[in-house]
Amino acid sequence: MPTRMVVNNSSAQYHRLTKSSDDGFIDLQFVRPPPKVPWKAISLAVVLFVVGSILLTIGALLLSGTLIDQKYADRTWPVLILGLLMFIPGSYHVRLAFYAYQGYQGYSYSDIPDFGD
C-alpha cells in the first residue's frame, strides 16, 4: 500500500481578500440597445400581405363564377393557392411588426428576419 506524502508548507501566508466595489463591470453593459427596425423585411411583408389579399379576392371571385366564364375555371385553384402562400407569411410578419411598433409585451423587431443587414 503506497503511503501518502503530506507536504506542510508553513511559510505560505494566507489572508482574506478584501471586498472591493469595483468589479470591472458597469451598468451600461447589461442594458440592451434598442433593436434596429428591419424596414426591408417589413416592406416585403406588406407587399406579400397586399398581393396575397388581392389574389385571394380574385380567386374567390373566380371560384364563385362572377369574374370569368366557367370555361376558364382551371385558373381558379392556382390563384387561390398562390394567394394563400403569399397571404399567410405576409399577415404573420405584418402582425409582428405592428405589435412591436405598439410595444406589446413579448413582441420585438428582433422577431422579424432582417435579411442579414
Side-chain angles (χ1 to χ4, degrees), residues 13-58:
Q13 296 179 1
Y14 297 101
H15 61 280
R16 183 176 288 234
L17 292 175
T18 59
K19 189 173 184 180
S20 68
S21 62
D22 184 26
D23 55 1
F25 296 105
I26 58 173
D27 291 336
L28 289 176
Q29 286 178 284
F30 303 106
V31 175
R32 282 188 177 178
K36 184 180 162 193
V37 179
W39 292 110
K40 286 183 185 179
I42 292 173
S43 61
L44 176 65
V46 168
V47 167
L48 286 174
F49 176 70
V50 169
V51 173
S53 298
I54 291 170
L55 286 176
L56 281 176
T57 304
I58 291 172

Side-chain angles (χ1 to χ4, degrees), residues 83-101:
L84 276 175
L85 287 176
M86 294 176 82
F87 177 79
I88 291 172
S91 63
Y92 176 73
H93 286 99
V94 166
R95 181 181 64 94
L96 282 178
F98 178 73
Y99 285 167
Y101 174 75

